[in-house]
Amino acid sequence: REIGTIIRSLGCCPNEGELHDLIAEVEEEEPTGYIRFEKFLPVMTNILVEKRYRPIPEEILLQAFEVLDPTKRGYLSKEELIKYMTEEGEPFSQEEMEEMLSAAIGPESNFIHYRDYITMMVIDEN
Amino acid sequence: MGSGASTHHHFAFQNAEKAFKAAALIQRWYRRYMARLEMRRQCTWSIFQSMEYAGQQDQVKLHDFFSYLVDHFTPSSHSERDFLNRMFTEERIPRDSEVEKCSDYESIEVPDNYTGPRLSFPLLPDHATALVEAFRLKQQLHARYVLNLLHETRKHLVQLPNINRVSTCYSEEITVCGDLHGQLDDLIFIFYKNGLPSPERAYVFNGDFVDRGKDSVEILMVLFAFMLVYPKEFHLNRGNHEDHMVNLRYGFTKEVMQKYKMHGKKILQRLQDVFCWLPLATLVDEKVLILHGGVSDTTDLELLSKLERHKIVSTLRCKTRKENEKQAEEKGKAKQTSSAGSLSPWFLPQSRSLPSSPLHLSSHKTHKAGRSSSVPCSTPLDPRGLSRQARRSVDLELERCRQQAGFPVITEKEEPWVFNPEADSAAGELLEASQEEWRQVLTVFSASNYYAVGSNRGAYVKLGPALAPHIVQYQANKATHMLTMRQRISRVEESALRALRGKLFAHSSDLLEEFKKHDNGNTGSITLSDWAAAVESVLHLGLPWRMLRPQLVSSSTDNMLEYKSWLEDLAKEQLSHENIQSSLLETLYRNRSNLETIFRIIDSDHSGFISLDEFRQTWKLFSSHMKMDITDDGICDLARSIDFNKDGHIDINEFLEAVRLVEQSCSEGDAADCPQATNTKGSGSWAATEDSLVSVTQVAS
């Protein structure tokens, strides 16, 4: 599980499926739950050299939100976000959902103004 | 019709597909974001831990300094001799004068306008509960009651054996708590969440009640009170911080003197005695050992129970030469070798005058190397307990434990609970009993937000029927619940980075030298890899410098860093007093904790002042031992410039304030000093808003 954290913090942005494949690639024949560095290093180096799993530019992210908000209100309701994040794509766990919500909206509000949300998260990254 | 319907379906399908893809994209992005956050959290944690470890090494250095003095220094004048004597002589109260002790507190009058809690003896449960409540309302217990309580506490402790043996027949469950370090909020929280002590609810507190936090006195009062009220169910073990020498360094002494200006000294003296009489360990049902500091493969319970524990005054004090000689004589006479029971510090690694103690109860975190945590022991015991760190270290510990005939231990190390976002903070985490329950070690630490607000949770362990451990984690700070993980991590990160920058500054000269070595052509620039290597070779913190680099180095072009200007920027950020010469300040700052400790020792009457002369002497000794390059004149100038009111005396606190770097005061979690920090920069106001945490968000705007 920690492999995902490492790969992601090196600048890559694989999805869960890709991550699983990667892990399968570096794992031992008999999965012990641990990854050996010697095996990991060449695979990771390749990924970096090939620039695989590039991070998502802000505009694309915005478009993704807009797809979920077809009438272009500029926001998503809490229920809508939950529905999409937990039912579509590679669904969030309950904890992931809660954490995302806590960062995205205040306790009283029910709407996520996604443009602002993205901006806030992106600034924080840098 | 047909085509219409199918087009409709077609669109619907397309839309569904789009939505799916959109959702997947967002999730992918979000997960990456969280991963980076997690990485930052771990970096921050490493910073705090390595700095704390380094601080402990520092203390060892101080101790070496004292040993060095004892062995090598020949005072050349009367004043120097007096000075040395004062540093090393213990003022011990003659044990037999109970009468004197009694009259101690009886003569203290409590003024009529005193609205704080009052105690009468024998203590009743209601008194103890009322005491907790009073402290929660921020009242202070009058010195008379403090001394009275200490007096009664001592009477009780003297009867206790070194190892408290407890049985779960009487109380149904036992709750074990770890380090509190003066954090009263955590104690109150534990009582609130777990319930107050009672005959059905036993508690064991495993040492380190004081130092660092700001309510050490109050914690002691509460703990002692409950111990007197429920002697069979409430147990305390001594920790390495229940030691007046350590208290000098880590803030308890200061706290007492600040809260009790008139009687503080007396209180400290009594406490010294009380600490000595605290039991060393608690054994539950002959199955689980609760002990501060951990065990090693040579921990021997039999020996432990035979020690004359009250003779171990401090782990840091060393004996004067006179005492050494005396002991050598005595040993020659005595046949028996209760060697570890004599007046000897516990864990001096290279003590010359003592036989090496078989007890390697280490107060230092064994941060890097593995500790063998089990013990061949004369009494047959089933080992128990579980390591509480991340899964992997659980496994490692178990491996080690499995190999040896085991010992059940719940120990107390300095390592705070890892902030575990997966564990529900409200529910306990029932650890797997499926793994070999035997031969395991569990480390419990109960001071949440130890490094900084939001840095970690605290925890306590309940031993239920069959002594299965059940862990409860918490964080005693309402405001942190309202922050998102992101905010919490940013905040703690800020704190860690600040401390780290301070440390970098403190080694500016060494760093410069090291950088120059990497700069072959004398260009003034080095590569970032060289930077990382150089920094590590100077600081020895074992941190991932390259990962931290963006936070520490703001400007670098083409992977090269102009190191001189970087160091200058560091200095500018840090210095608040330009009148003290920078390199001197750097040296002083690096040794600040040790200096403070030395000062407090010299200031034996705890007045807060030492004379210029004493300051000079101290500094001279210290700098020659540490091989520091400071001229005598430099010291004199410094001393004089710090003698702010020019009366020949230096206020210790003023001095430390002068040497203390601007932002460092906040990152040390020294809450008492925080508001006084003179800096007005952004991070200073961070400290000021601690109290009004609720509305603060760390979003950069």
PDB file of all heavy atoms in Angstrom, chain A residues 9 12-13 16 34 85 88-91 96 100 102 124-125, chain B residues 20 27-33 36 39 392 395 484-486:
ATOM      1  N   SER A   9       3.956  10.366  -4.762  1.00  0.00           N
ATOM      2  CA  SER A   9       4.667  11.565  -4.332  1.00  0.00           C
ATOM      3  C   SER A   9       5.908  11.826  -5.176  1.00  0.00           C
ATOM      4  O   SER A   9       6.542  12.862  -5.049  1.00  0.00           O
ATOM      5  CB  SER A   9       5.032  11.491  -2.853  1.00  0.00           C
ATOM      6  OG  SER A   9       5.456  10.222  -2.521  1.00  0.00           O
ATOM      7  N   CYS A  12       3.945  11.013 -10.022  1.00  0.00           N
ATOM      8  CA  CYS A  12       3.129  10.255 -10.961  1.00  0.00           C
ATOM      9  C   CYS A  12       1.688  10.182 -10.472  1.00  0.00           C
ATOM     10  O   CYS A  12       1.422  10.296  -9.287  1.00  0.00           O
ATOM     11  CB  CYS A  12       3.652   8.833 -11.110  1.00  0.00           C
ATOM     12  SG  CYS A  12       5.353   8.805 -11.614  1.00  0.00           S
ATOM     13  N   CYS A  13       0.827   9.955 -11.397  1.00  0.00           N
ATOM     14  CA  CYS A  13      -0.581   9.940 -11.048  1.00  0.00           C
ATOM     15  C   CYS A  13      -1.289   8.744 -11.678  1.00  0.00           C
ATOM     16  O   CYS A  13      -2.110   8.900 -12.583  1.00  0.00           O
ATOM     17  CB  CYS A  13      -1.212  11.249 -11.507  1.00  0.00           C
ATOM     18  SG  CYS A  13      -2.750  11.629 -10.668  1.00  0.00           S
ATOM     19  N   GLU A  16      -6.013   3.475  -9.760  1.00  0.00           N
ATOM     20  CA  GLU A  16      -5.884   2.298  -8.902  1.00  0.00           C
ATOM     21  C   GLU A  16      -5.519   1.058  -9.698  1.00  0.00           C
ATOM     22  O   GLU A  16      -4.707   0.235  -9.299  1.00  0.00           O
ATOM     23  CB  GLU A  16      -7.202   2.054  -8.145  1.00  0.00           C
ATOM     24  CG  GLU A  16      -7.544   3.174  -7.174  1.00  0.00           C
ATOM     25  CD  GLU A  16      -6.643   3.151  -5.961  1.00  0.00           C
ATOM     26  OE1 GLU A  16      -6.790   2.237  -5.131  1.00  0.00           O
ATOM     27  OE2 GLU A  16      -5.788   4.037  -5.855  1.00  0.00           O
ATOM     28  N   TYR A  34       5.594  -7.222   1.161  1.00  0.00           N
ATOM     29  CA  TYR A  34       6.688  -6.262   1.108  1.00  0.00           C
ATOM     30  C   TYR A  34       7.286  -6.201  -0.292  1.00  0.00           C
ATOM     31  O   TYR A  34       7.244  -7.169  -1.032  1.00  0.00           O
ATOM     32  CB  TYR A  34       7.792  -6.667   2.082  1.00  0.00           C
ATOM     33  CG  TYR A  34       7.352  -6.559   3.512  1.00  0.00           C
ATOM     34  CD1 TYR A  34       7.108  -7.706   4.261  1.00  0.00           C
ATOM     35  CD2 TYR A  34       7.148  -5.329   4.115  1.00  0.00           C
ATOM     36  CE1 TYR A  34       6.689  -7.624   5.564  1.00  0.00           C
ATOM     37  CE2 TYR A  34       6.729  -5.247   5.425  1.00  0.00           C
ATOM     38  CZ  TYR A  34       6.510  -6.385   6.139  1.00  0.00           C
ATOM     39  OH  TYR A  34       6.085  -6.300   7.422  1.00  0.00           O
ATOM     40  N   MET A  85     -18.585   9.829  -6.538  1.00  0.00           N
ATOM     41  CA  MET A  85     -17.296   9.348  -6.055  1.00  0.00           C
ATOM     42  C   MET A  85     -17.371   7.939  -5.485  1.00  0.00           C
ATOM     43  O   MET A  85     -16.378   7.214  -5.484  1.00  0.00           O
ATOM     44  CB  MET A  85     -16.736  10.307  -4.989  1.00  0.00           C
ATOM     45  CG  MET A  85     -16.347  11.666  -5.538  1.00  0.00           C
ATOM     46  SD  MET A  85     -14.958  11.604  -6.684  1.00  0.00           S
ATOM     47  CE  MET A  85     -15.743  11.869  -8.242  1.00  0.00           C
ATOM     48  N   GLU A  88     -19.141   5.620  -9.066  1.00  0.00           N
ATOM     49  CA  GLU A  88     -18.551   5.621 -10.406  1.00  0.00           C
ATOM     50  C   GLU A  88     -17.035   5.507 -10.320  1.00  0.00           C
ATOM     51  O   GLU A  88     -16.442   5.655  -9.246  1.00  0.00           O
ATOM     52  CB  GLU A  88     -18.909   6.927 -11.129  1.00  0.00           C
ATOM     53  CG  GLU A  88     -20.394   7.197 -11.235  1.00  0.00           C
ATOM     54  CD  GLU A  88     -21.031   6.395 -12.352  1.00  0.00           C
ATOM     55  OE1 GLU A  88     -20.286   5.800 -13.146  1.00  0.00           O
ATOM     56  OE2 GLU A  88     -22.259   6.364 -12.430  1.00  0.00           O
ATOM     57  N   GLY A  89     -16.467   5.293 -11.510  1.00  0.00           N
ATOM     58  CA  GLY A  89     -15.011   5.286 -11.578  1.00  0.00           C
ATOM     59  C   GLY A  89     -14.408   4.192 -10.724  1.00  0.00           C
ATOM     60  O   GLY A  89     -14.853   3.041 -10.734  1.00  0.00           O
ATOM     61  N   GLU A  90     -13.395   4.530  -9.963  1.00  0.00           N
ATOM     62  CA  GLU A  90     -12.791   3.589  -9.010  1.00  0.00           C
ATOM     63  C   GLU A  90     -13.212   4.083  -7.624  1.00  0.00           C
ATOM     64  O   GLU A  90     -12.526   4.885  -7.001  1.00  0.00           O
ATOM     65  CB  GLU A  90     -11.273   3.586  -9.159  1.00  0.00           C
ATOM     66  CG  GLU A  90     -10.811   2.956 -10.470  1.00  0.00           C
ATOM     67  CD  GLU A  90      -9.315   3.112 -10.696  1.00  0.00           C
ATOM     68  OE1 GLU A  90      -8.779   4.201 -10.406  1.00  0.00           O
ATOM     69  OE2 GLU A  90      -8.678   2.146 -11.157  1.00  0.00           O
ATOM     70  N   PRO A  91     -14.319   3.595  -7.143  1.00  0.00           N
ATOM     71  CA  PRO A  91     -15.002   4.229  -6.006  1.00  0.00           C
ATOM     72  C   PRO A  91     -14.133   4.478  -4.773  1.00  0.00           C
ATOM     73  O   PRO A  91     -13.225   3.710  -4.458  1.00  0.00           O
ATOM     74  CB  PRO A  91     -16.117   3.228  -5.675  1.00  0.00           C
ATOM     75  CG  PRO A  91     -16.341   2.485  -6.922  1.00  0.00           C
ATOM     76  CD  PRO A  91     -15.014   2.395  -7.595  1.00  0.00           C
ATOM     77  N   GLU A  96     -12.231   7.872   2.541  1.00  0.00           N
ATOM     78  CA  GLU A  96     -11.763   8.805   1.523  1.00  0.00           C
ATOM     79  C   GLU A  96     -12.842   9.840   1.246  1.00  0.00           C
ATOM     80  O   GLU A  96     -12.574  11.029   1.084  1.00  0.00           O
ATOM     81  CB  GLU A  96     -11.417   8.050   0.226  1.00  0.00           C
ATOM     82  CG  GLU A  96     -10.095   7.299   0.280  1.00  0.00           C
ATOM     83  CD  GLU A  96      -9.850   6.490  -0.980  1.00  0.00           C
ATOM     84  OE1 GLU A  96     -10.752   5.692  -1.349  1.00  0.00           O
ATOM     85  OE2 GLU A  96      -8.777   6.651  -1.595  1.00  0.00           O
ATOM     86  N   MET A 100     -12.503  13.860   1.811  1.00  0.00           N
ATOM     87  CA  MET A 100     -12.644  14.797   0.707  1.00  0.00           C
ATOM     88  C   MET A 100     -13.712  15.841   1.019  1.00  0.00           C
ATOM     89  O   MET A 100     -13.528  17.025   0.772  1.00  0.00           O
ATOM     90  CB  MET A 100     -13.037  14.051  -0.568  1.00  0.00           C
ATOM     91  CG  MET A 100     -13.095  14.972  -1.769  1.00  0.00           C
ATOM     92  SD  MET A 100     -13.762  14.146  -3.193  1.00  0.00           S
ATOM     93  CE  MET A 100     -13.162  15.230  -4.494  1.00  0.00           C
ATOM     94  N   SER A 102     -14.713  16.850   3.927  1.00  0.00           N
ATOM     95  CA  SER A 102     -14.348  17.785   4.988  1.00  0.00           C
ATOM     96  C   SER A 102     -13.462  18.903   4.452  1.00  0.00           C
ATOM     97  O   SER A 102     -13.493  20.021   4.931  1.00  0.00           O
ATOM     98  CB  SER A 102     -13.659  17.061   6.134  1.00  0.00           C
ATOM     99  OG  SER A 102     -12.346  16.741   5.764  1.00  0.00           O
ATOM    100  N   ASP A 124      -2.209  24.604  -2.553  1.00  0.00           N
ATOM    101  CA  ASP A 124      -1.665  23.901  -1.410  1.00  0.00           C
ATOM    102  C   ASP A 124      -0.541  22.969  -1.824  1.00  0.00           C
ATOM    103  O   ASP A 124       0.437  22.787  -1.111  1.00  0.00           O
ATOM    104  CB  ASP A 124      -2.793  23.121  -0.732  1.00  0.00           C
ATOM    105  CG  ASP A 124      -2.376  22.635   0.611  1.00  0.00           C
ATOM    106  OD1 ASP A 124      -1.934  23.467   1.405  1.00  0.00           O
ATOM    107  OD2 ASP A 124      -2.451  21.426   0.850  1.00  0.00           O
ATOM    108  N   GLU A 125      -0.695  22.390  -2.981  1.00  0.00           N
ATOM    109  CA  GLU A 125       0.328  21.491  -3.497  1.00  0.00           C
ATOM    110  C   GLU A 125       1.656  22.204  -3.627  1.00  0.00           C
ATOM    111  O   GLU A 125       2.704  21.647  -3.383  1.00  0.00           O
ATOM    112  CB  GLU A 125      -0.066  21.026  -4.901  1.00  0.00           C
ATOM    113  CG  GLU A 125      -1.184  20.024  -4.932  1.00  0.00           C
ATOM    114  CD  GLU A 125      -0.637  18.630  -5.147  1.00  0.00           C
ATOM    115  OE1 GLU A 125      -0.111  18.380  -6.223  1.00  0.00           O
ATOM    116  OE2 GLU A 125      -0.720  17.834  -4.220  1.00  0.00           O
TER     117      GLU A 125
ATOM    118  N   PHE B  20     -18.522   8.380 -15.882  1.00  0.00           N
ATOM    119  CA  PHE B  20     -17.635   7.387 -15.277  1.00  0.00           C
ATOM    120  C   PHE B  20     -16.185   7.836 -15.395  1.00  0.00           C
ATOM    121  O   PHE B  20     -15.415   7.803 -14.429  1.00  0.00           O
ATOM    122  CB  PHE B  20     -17.854   6.047 -15.997  1.00  0.00           C
ATOM    123  CG  PHE B  20     -17.054   4.930 -15.414  1.00  0.00           C
ATOM    124  CD1 PHE B  20     -17.594   4.127 -14.415  1.00  0.00           C
ATOM    125  CD2 PHE B  20     -15.762   4.667 -15.864  1.00  0.00           C
ATOM    126  CE1 PHE B  20     -16.859   3.084 -13.884  1.00  0.00           C
ATOM    127  CE2 PHE B  20     -15.031   3.627 -15.323  1.00  0.00           C
ATOM    128  CZ  PHE B  20     -15.576   2.830 -14.335  1.00  0.00           C
ATOM    129  N   GLN B  27     -10.998  11.000  -9.007  1.00  0.00           N
ATOM    130  CA  GLN B  27     -10.502  10.114  -7.953  1.00  0.00           C
ATOM    131  C   GLN B  27      -9.004   9.926  -8.057  1.00  0.00           C
ATOM    132  O   GLN B  27      -8.274   9.942  -7.060  1.00  0.00           O
ATOM    133  CB  GLN B  27     -11.206   8.754  -8.031  1.00  0.00           C
ATOM    134  CG  GLN B  27     -12.638   8.796  -7.585  1.00  0.00           C
ATOM    135  CD  GLN B  27     -13.470   7.721  -8.251  1.00  0.00           C
ATOM    136  OE1 GLN B  27     -13.042   7.087  -9.219  1.00  0.00           O
ATOM    137  NE2 GLN B  27     -14.661   7.507  -7.729  1.00  0.00           N
ATOM    138  N   ARG B  28      -8.565   9.756  -9.276  1.00  0.00           N
ATOM    139  CA  ARG B  28      -7.136   9.548  -9.486  1.00  0.00           C
ATOM    140  C   ARG B  28      -6.339  10.744  -8.976  1.00  0.00           C
ATOM    141  O   ARG B  28      -5.332  10.595  -8.279  1.00  0.00           O
ATOM    142  CB  ARG B  28      -6.930   9.374 -10.991  1.00  0.00           C
ATOM    143  CG  ARG B  28      -5.572   8.833 -11.365  1.00  0.00           C
ATOM    144  CD  ARG B  28      -5.547   8.542 -12.855  1.00  0.00           C
ATOM    145  NE  ARG B  28      -4.553   9.366 -13.523  1.00  0.00           N
ATOM    146  CZ  ARG B  28      -4.618   9.741 -14.793  1.00  0.00           C
ATOM    147  NH1 ARG B  28      -5.656   9.400 -15.525  1.00  0.00           N
ATOM    148  NH2 ARG B  28      -3.665  10.480 -15.313  1.00  0.00           N
ATOM    149  N   TRP B  29      -6.830  11.906  -9.324  1.00  0.00           N
ATOM    150  CA  TRP B  29      -6.159  13.123  -8.904  1.00  0.00           C
ATOM    151  C   TRP B  29      -6.152  13.250  -7.393  1.00  0.00           C
ATOM    152  O   TRP B  29      -5.149  13.544  -6.762  1.00  0.00           O
ATOM    153  CB  TRP B  29      -6.854  14.313  -9.555  1.00  0.00           C
ATOM    154  CG  TRP B  29      -6.582  15.619  -8.886  1.00  0.00           C
ATOM    155  CD1 TRP B  29      -5.480  16.411  -9.020  1.00  0.00           C
ATOM    156  CD2 TRP B  29      -7.438  16.290  -7.968  1.00  0.00           C
ATOM    157  NE1 TRP B  29      -5.595  17.529  -8.256  1.00  0.00           N
ATOM    158  CE2 TRP B  29      -6.803  17.484  -7.584  1.00  0.00           C
ATOM    159  CE3 TRP B  29      -8.705  16.008  -7.438  1.00  0.00           C
ATOM    160  CZ2 TRP B  29      -7.368  18.395  -6.707  1.00  0.00           C
ATOM    161  CZ3 TRP B  29      -9.270  16.912  -6.558  1.00  0.00           C
ATOM    162  CH2 TRP B  29      -8.600  18.087  -6.189  1.00  0.00           C
ATOM    163  N   TYR B  30      -7.306  12.990  -6.809  1.00  0.00           N
ATOM    164  CA  TYR B  30      -7.444  13.128  -5.371  1.00  0.00           C
ATOM    165  C   TYR B  30      -6.534  12.166  -4.616  1.00  0.00           C
ATOM    166  O   TYR B  30      -5.895  12.517  -3.627  1.00  0.00           O
ATOM    167  CB  TYR B  30      -8.909  12.903  -4.963  1.00  0.00           C
ATOM    168  CG  TYR B  30      -9.118  13.081  -3.495  1.00  0.00           C
ATOM    169  CD1 TYR B  30      -9.216  14.338  -2.929  1.00  0.00           C
ATOM    170  CD2 TYR B  30      -9.200  11.969  -2.649  1.00  0.00           C
ATOM    171  CE1 TYR B  30      -9.389  14.506  -1.570  1.00  0.00           C
ATOM    172  CE2 TYR B  30      -9.368  12.126  -1.301  1.00  0.00           C
ATOM    173  CZ  TYR B  30      -9.465  13.397  -0.760  1.00  0.00           C
ATOM    174  OH  TYR B  30      -9.631  13.561   0.576  1.00  0.00           O
ATOM    175  N   ARG B  31      -6.462  10.962  -5.091  1.00  0.00           N
ATOM    176  CA  ARG B  31      -5.622   9.983  -4.409  1.00  0.00           C
ATOM    177  C   ARG B  31      -4.164  10.384  -4.453  1.00  0.00           C
ATOM    178  O   ARG B  31      -3.419  10.163  -3.504  1.00  0.00           O
ATOM    179  CB  ARG B  31      -5.822   8.604  -5.024  1.00  0.00           C
ATOM    180  CG  ARG B  31      -7.132   7.997  -4.610  1.00  0.00           C
ATOM    181  CD  ARG B  31      -7.372   6.637  -5.207  1.00  0.00           C
ATOM    182  NE  ARG B  31      -8.517   6.044  -4.542  1.00  0.00           N
ATOM    183  CZ  ARG B  31      -9.586   5.582  -5.193  1.00  0.00           C
ATOM    184  NH1 ARG B  31      -9.647   5.658  -6.494  1.00  0.00           N
ATOM    185  NH2 ARG B  31     -10.585   5.054  -4.506  1.00  0.00           N
ATOM    186  N   ARG B  32      -3.795  10.980  -5.564  1.00  0.00           N
ATOM    187  CA  ARG B  32      -2.421  11.415  -5.635  1.00  0.00           C
ATOM    188  C   ARG B  32      -2.177  12.537  -4.626  1.00  0.00           C
ATOM    189  O   ARG B  32      -1.169  12.578  -3.925  1.00  0.00           O
ATOM    190  CB  ARG B  32      -2.095  11.906  -7.038  1.00  0.00           C
ATOM    191  CG  ARG B  32      -0.706  12.507  -7.050  1.00  0.00           C
ATOM    192  CD  ARG B  32      -0.242  12.788  -8.437  1.00  0.00           C
ATOM    193  NE  ARG B  32       1.028  13.483  -8.373  1.00  0.00           N
ATOM    194  CZ  ARG B  32       1.161  14.784  -8.554  1.00  0.00           C
ATOM    195  NH1 ARG B  32       0.114  15.526  -8.804  1.00  0.00           N
ATOM    196  NH2 ARG B  32       2.352  15.338  -8.485  1.00  0.00           N
ATOM    197  N   TYR B  33      -3.094  13.444  -4.563  1.00  0.00           N
ATOM    198  CA  TYR B  33      -3.013  14.529  -3.615  1.00  0.00           C
ATOM    199  C   TYR B  33      -2.848  13.999  -2.197  1.00  0.00           C
ATOM    200  O   TYR B  33      -1.986  14.452  -1.433  1.00  0.00           O
ATOM    201  CB  TYR B  33      -4.277  15.384  -3.738  1.00  0.00           C
ATOM    202  CG  TYR B  33      -4.334  16.476  -2.737  1.00  0.00           C
ATOM    203  CD1 TYR B  33      -3.627  17.657  -2.926  1.00  0.00           C
ATOM    204  CD2 TYR B  33      -5.064  16.319  -1.567  1.00  0.00           C
ATOM    205  CE1 TYR B  33      -3.668  18.657  -1.996  1.00  0.00           C
ATOM    206  CE2 TYR B  33      -5.105  17.326  -0.636  1.00  0.00           C
ATOM    207  CZ  TYR B  33      -4.408  18.486  -0.847  1.00  0.00           C
ATOM    208  OH  TYR B  33      -4.448  19.464   0.083  1.00  0.00           O
ATOM    209  N   ARG B  36       0.597  12.588  -1.516  1.00  0.00           N
ATOM    210  CA  ARG B  36       1.630  13.584  -1.251  1.00  0.00           C
ATOM    211  C   ARG B  36       1.497  14.136   0.164  1.00  0.00           C
ATOM    212  O   ARG B  36       2.481  14.412   0.833  1.00  0.00           O
ATOM    213  CB  ARG B  36       1.522  14.704  -2.268  1.00  0.00           C
ATOM    214  CG  ARG B  36       1.724  14.195  -3.678  1.00  0.00           C
ATOM    215  CD  ARG B  36       1.807  15.301  -4.664  1.00  0.00           C
ATOM    216  NE  ARG B  36       3.117  15.929  -4.595  1.00  0.00           N
ATOM    217  CZ  ARG B  36       3.513  16.886  -5.412  1.00  0.00           C
ATOM    218  NH1 ARG B  36       2.695  17.322  -6.323  1.00  0.00           N
ATOM    219  NH2 ARG B  36       4.704  17.403  -5.309  1.00  0.00           N
ATOM    220  N   MET B  39       3.036  11.764   2.478  1.00  0.00           N
ATOM    221  CA  MET B  39       4.484  11.860   2.422  1.00  0.00           C
ATOM    222  C   MET B  39       4.976  13.030   3.263  1.00  0.00           C
ATOM    223  O   MET B  39       5.948  12.930   4.005  1.00  0.00           O
ATOM    224  CB  MET B  39       4.924  12.034   0.962  1.00  0.00           C
ATOM    225  CG  MET B  39       6.399  11.844   0.753  1.00  0.00           C
ATOM    226  SD  MET B  39       6.955  10.269   1.401  1.00  0.00           S
ATOM    227  CE  MET B  39       6.795   9.238  -0.019  1.00  0.00           C
ATOM    228  N   ARG B 392       4.259  -2.877  10.025  1.00  0.00           N
ATOM    229  CA  ARG B 392       5.536  -3.501   9.734  1.00  0.00           C
ATOM    230  C   ARG B 392       6.394  -3.615  10.958  1.00  0.00           C
ATOM    231  O   ARG B 392       7.003  -4.623  11.222  1.00  0.00           O
ATOM    232  CB  ARG B 392       6.284  -2.746   8.659  1.00  0.00           C
ATOM    233  CG  ARG B 392       7.564  -3.503   8.342  1.00  0.00           C
ATOM    234  CD  ARG B 392       8.546  -2.772   7.560  1.00  0.00           C
ATOM    235  NE  ARG B 392       8.074  -2.495   6.230  1.00  0.00           N
ATOM    236  CZ  ARG B 392       8.652  -1.595   5.447  1.00  0.00           C
ATOM    237  NH1 ARG B 392       9.680  -0.929   5.864  1.00  0.00           N
ATOM    238  NH2 ARG B 392       8.186  -1.374   4.240  1.00  0.00           N
ATOM    239  N   ASP B 395       5.498  -6.418  13.100  1.00  0.00           N
ATOM    240  CA  ASP B 395       6.049  -7.701  12.682  1.00  0.00           C
ATOM    241  C   ASP B 395       7.508  -7.841  13.065  1.00  0.00           C
ATOM    242  O   ASP B 395       7.946  -8.885  13.517  1.00  0.00           O
ATOM    243  CB  ASP B 395       5.902  -7.863  11.174  1.00  0.00           C
ATOM    244  CG  ASP B 395       4.430  -7.937  10.788  1.00  0.00           C
ATOM    245  OD1 ASP B 395       3.614  -8.185  11.697  1.00  0.00           O
ATOM    246  OD2 ASP B 395       4.110  -7.748   9.615  1.00  0.00           O
ATOM    247  N   THR B 484      -9.162  20.004   8.673  1.00  0.00           N
ATOM    248  CA  THR B 484      -9.035  18.848   7.798  1.00  0.00           C
ATOM    249  C   THR B 484      -7.639  18.274   7.980  1.00  0.00           C
ATOM    250  O   THR B 484      -6.756  18.902   8.546  1.00  0.00           O
ATOM    251  CB  THR B 484      -9.166  19.243   6.327  1.00  0.00           C
ATOM    252  OG1 THR B 484      -8.104  20.164   6.040  1.00  0.00           O
ATOM    253  CG2 THR B 484     -10.493  19.910   6.072  1.00  0.00           C
ATOM    254  N   MET B 485      -7.463  17.105   7.463  1.00  0.00           N
ATOM    255  CA  MET B 485      -6.151  16.491   7.566  1.00  0.00           C
ATOM    256  C   MET B 485      -5.109  17.389   6.922  1.00  0.00           C
ATOM    257  O   MET B 485      -3.997  17.540   7.423  1.00  0.00           O
ATOM    258  CB  MET B 485      -6.196  15.144   6.874  1.00  0.00           C
ATOM    259  CG  MET B 485      -4.932  14.357   7.105  1.00  0.00           C
ATOM    260  SD  MET B 485      -4.941  12.811   6.243  1.00  0.00           S
ATOM    261  CE  MET B 485      -6.248  11.989   7.082  1.00  0.00           C
ATOM    262  N   ARG B 486      -5.478  17.984   5.840  1.00  0.00           N
ATOM    263  CA  ARG B 486      -4.550  18.841   5.137  1.00  0.00           C
ATOM    264  C   ARG B 486      -4.083  19.986   6.018  1.00  0.00           C
ATOM    265  O   ARG B 486      -2.893  20.291   6.095  1.00  0.00           O
ATOM    266  CB  ARG B 486      -5.242  19.373   3.890  1.00  0.00           C
ATOM    267  CG  ARG B 486      -4.326  20.115   2.967  1.00  0.00           C
ATOM    268  CD  ARG B 486      -5.115  20.759   1.876  1.00  0.00           C
ATOM    269  NE  ARG B 486      -5.275  22.177   2.139  1.00  0.00           N
ATOM    270  CZ  ARG B 486      -6.407  22.746   2.457  1.00  0.00           C
ATOM    271  NH1 ARG B 486      -7.506  22.034   2.526  1.00  0.00           N
ATOM    272  NH2 ARG B 486      -6.474  24.021   2.680  1.00  0.00           N
TER     273      ARG B 486
END
